[in-house]
Amino acid sequence: MLVDSSLDEVKKRENSFKIIRDIIKNQGRASLYDLTGLSGGFIASSKDLNLLETYVGPAIFEEELDRLGKEHLGGEKTLAVNRTSSGILATILTLLKNDSYLIHFLPEFPSHPSILRSVEIVKGKYLEFNNLDDFYLMENASLLVITGSTMDHKVLDEETFKKLIAMAHEKNIPVFVDDASGARLRTIIYNQKRATDLGADLVVTSTDKLMPGPRGGLMAGKLDLINKIKVTANKFGLEAQPPSILAMVNGFKSFNKQTLLDAVNKKEVLMKLLNSYCMFEETATGVMVPKEALQDEINKYLDSPLNKELSSSDLCFIWASLLLKEKGIITIPAVSMVGASATVRFDLSSKDAMNLDMKILYEKIDESFKELLNVIMNLEKSKFLLYGV
Ligand SMILES: *Cc1c(COP(=O)(O)O)cnc(C)c1O
């Protein structure tokens, strides 16, 4: 494996940032297409920014965020956190009892790594399910986490959602929904109810997934639970800071459902253009290639076997680097945080997709895949693409 540790992932990310800097310096921002679906946006007027310098700003923005956040997520109170992962950690630190189980249900594996990592910190026990027939809640379970939409945008159906919540509540187990992208995907594209309206006690969403906000998390839910989690978040510095809260407020104000709905149409056009490939799967607002599918597609074209050092994740990482370096397309595997999914996903609700013709995007994808077939024949070239050395 070329990318074999968390440190490798950090180095890969640093190299991608260098490539991004070079493209911006030599060709300009317009030559980059961020199709991650994570905007990291920071919308703020100079009036907003001036307010930030006093104590008045945070007082105003926090109240505004609570109002907008409750509109978006429901619930009695909200809590802004540094990242979705921070909200997950704060919740697990607060609610998972010693030696008890956190049960996690998600529509498809793999889980987001922050959940298991947080359970390990409190020395709790962990069990995950992706199938309702196998699912059960043991006596010493103290928290049910439901992922509404996975990292790869696989969405849980509403019937299963309701059954899971009912089963947990029958045993007085609180339900926490990880709706990082789901808070928007599920409700807008799939017409599902908000997690709190389905009966969940707590929910967290990511303020930069499929909306123009900053990297951050917003939690909502029952007043007493949010208050307890807020205390934990404050103790460990997991809460969002005033500049993020300001950008969250403006992110929610600028959020437009239509952008997501338009992405569905674009996806249909792009899927047709890509029909000579078997590896592409539709997501709600784009297309994606899981690592196994990429490996299978590559195997069809190769005359000689692939170097055993290359894992299927490596293939995704190398392709993502090529897409970035040669075509200016940013996808998650090039820039992701440690442990994120290797799936190469093109999100068409991204701001940069608005001015991108699908025919041109198709050509960029097609050419870079052909280039990938060459590069992976040479381990040194592959390493250079990943790490720049
Ligand atoms: C993105 C994501 C997270 C983590 O978000 P961060 O901002 O990286 O902390 C957690 N769970 C799911 C399902 C996600 O998609």
Side-chain angles (χ1 to χ4, degrees):
M1 268 170 101
L2 296 188
V3 180
D4 198 22
S5 67
S6 297
L7 182 60
D8 287 347
E9 287 188 65
V10 171
K11 286 186 189 158
K12 164 179 72 69
R13 187 167 191 255
E14 285 176 357
N15 181 52
S16 297
F17 284 162
K18 181 175 179 302
I19 297 172
I20 291 172
R21 279 198 300 278
D22 288 345
I23 293 177
I24 289 190
K25 200 171 116 207
N26 300 324
Q27 302 165 52
R29 173 66 182 82
S31 300
L32 272 176
Y33 305 91
D34 181 344
L35 302 186
T36 59
L38 279 74
S39 68
F42 197 98
I43 303 170
S45 66
S46 46
K47 191 165 142 257
D48 291 336
L49 292 173
N50 284 337
L51 271 178
L52 263 188
E53 288 171 36
T54 70
Y55 289 107
V56 184
I60 294 170
F61 303 136
E62 272 190 41
E63 193 276 331
E64 239 188 320
L65 182 60
D66 190 58
R67 190 174 50 76
L68 292 163
K70 279 189 290 203
E71 262 172 43
H72 194 74
L73 296 175
E76 296 165 355
K77 185 172 180 172
T78 62
L79 167 65
V81 283
N82 184 47
R83 273 175 55 189
T84 301
S85 300
S86 320
I88 290 170
L89 174 59
T91 303
I92 291 175
L93 285 173
T94 310
L95 297 182
L96 188 64
K97 301 203 178 88
N98 245 344
D99 265 340
S100 74
Y101 272 95
L102 180 150
I103 307 297
H104 181 200
F105 192 96
L106 67 168
E108 185 181 79
F109 296 139
S111 304
H112 192 272
S114 61
I115 298 176
L116 180 57
R117 284 176 191 153
S118 302
V119 172
E120 282 169 353
I121 288 180
V122 296
K123 299 202 164 59
K125 295 176 182 148
Y126 178 80
L127 206 55
E128 59 183 19
F129 298 92
N130 66 355
N131 184 338
L132 199 56
D133 295 334
D134 305 332
F135 180 81
Y136 69 102
L137 288 161
M138 58 284 289
E139 283 313 311
N140 61 340
S142 62
L143 183 61
L144 171 64
V145 176
I146 303 174
T147 293
S149 160
T150 64
M151 290 183 276
D152 293 341
H153 290 186
K154 180 91 178 172
V155 167
L156 187 65
D157 68 277
E158 217 178 47
E159 281 316 303
T160 309
F161 233 117
K162 286 184 195 157
K163 280 183 191 152
L164 290 165
I165 292 173
M167 283 163 86
H169 282 171
E170 205 169 283
K171 296 192 167 184
N172 288 320
I173 296 169
V175 179
F176 171 41
V177 174
D178 176 358
D179 238 357
S181 57
R184 286 159 297 292
L185 268 191
R186 287 191 313 100
T187 56
I188 295 165
I189 310 279
Y190 295 92
N191 288 314
Q192 291 188 13
K193 291 206 176 84
R194 298 181 299 190
T196 52
D197 295 335
L198 289 168
D201 302 281
L202 290 162
V203 58
V204 64
T205 194
S206 164
T207 55
D208 83 335
K209 286 186 176 162
L210 310 169
M211 65 171 277
R215 186 83 179 238
L218 186 71
M219 297 194 59
K222 300 247 167 76
L223 184 69
D224 57 327
L225 293 178
I226 289 283
N227 282 338
K228 282 185 195 156
I229 294 165
K230 189 169 187 175
V231 172
T232 309
N234 288 156
K235 275 186 190 163
F236 295 103
L238 301 170
E239 78 280 2
Q241 297 305 298
S244 294
I245 293 178
L246 159 61
M248 286 178 189
V249 166
N250 288 332
F252 281 113
K253 281 186 182 164
S254 313
F255 173 61
N256 183 353
K257 288 180 184 180
Q258 195 56 42
T259 313
L260 293 192
L261 297 168
D262 290 346
V264 177
N265 296 329
K266 284 191 168 169
K267 167 192 72 176
E268 278 155 16
V269 174
L270 183 61
M271 267 313 265
K272 283 211 184 85
L273 289 165
L274 289 165
N275 72 1
S276 64
Y277 287 103
C278 297
M279 63 182 172
F280 288 92
E281 289 175 25
E282 290 187 31
T283 67
T285 55
V287 303
M288 68 172 182
V289 182
K291 59 184 184 189
E292 298 81 9
L294 179 61
Q295 172 113 48
D296 290 346
E297 189 87 31
I298 286 172
N299 285 338
K300 279 193 225 160
Y301 289 88
L302 294 185
D303 309 321
S304 51
L306 199 59
N307 192 312
K308 287 208 174 51
E309 272 218 47
L310 292 172
S311 68
S312 56
S313 310
D314 287 340
L315 297 173
C316 290
F317 292 138
I318 297 167
W319 191 26
S321 297
L322 265 174
L323 280 161
L324 174 58
K325 197 168 178 188
E326 308 289 331
K327 306 293 175 191
I329 295 177
I330 308 176
T331 55
I332 290 176
V335 291
S336 56
M337 298 290 183
V338 170
S341 161
T343 299
V344 181
R345 186 157 55 77
F346 302 87
D347 194 286
L348 304 174
S349 72
S350 308
K351 194 163 81 248
D352 291 348
M354 289 216 217
N355 305 317
L356 186 59
D357 186 85
M358 289 301 108
K359 184 89 196 325
I360 292 175
L361 177 57
Y362 161 72
E363 281 161 10
K364 285 174 182 279
I365 292 174
D366 187 50
E367 286 165 16
S368 70
F369 178 75
K370 288 179 177 135
E371 181 65 22
L372 176 67
L373 294 174
N374 286 325
V375 169
I376 54 178
M377 288 294 107
N378 182 324
L379 221 48
E380 286 312 306
K381 264 195 198 166
S382 302
K383 278 187 195 157
F384 183 76
L385 261 173
L386 290 172
Y387 301 120
V389 285

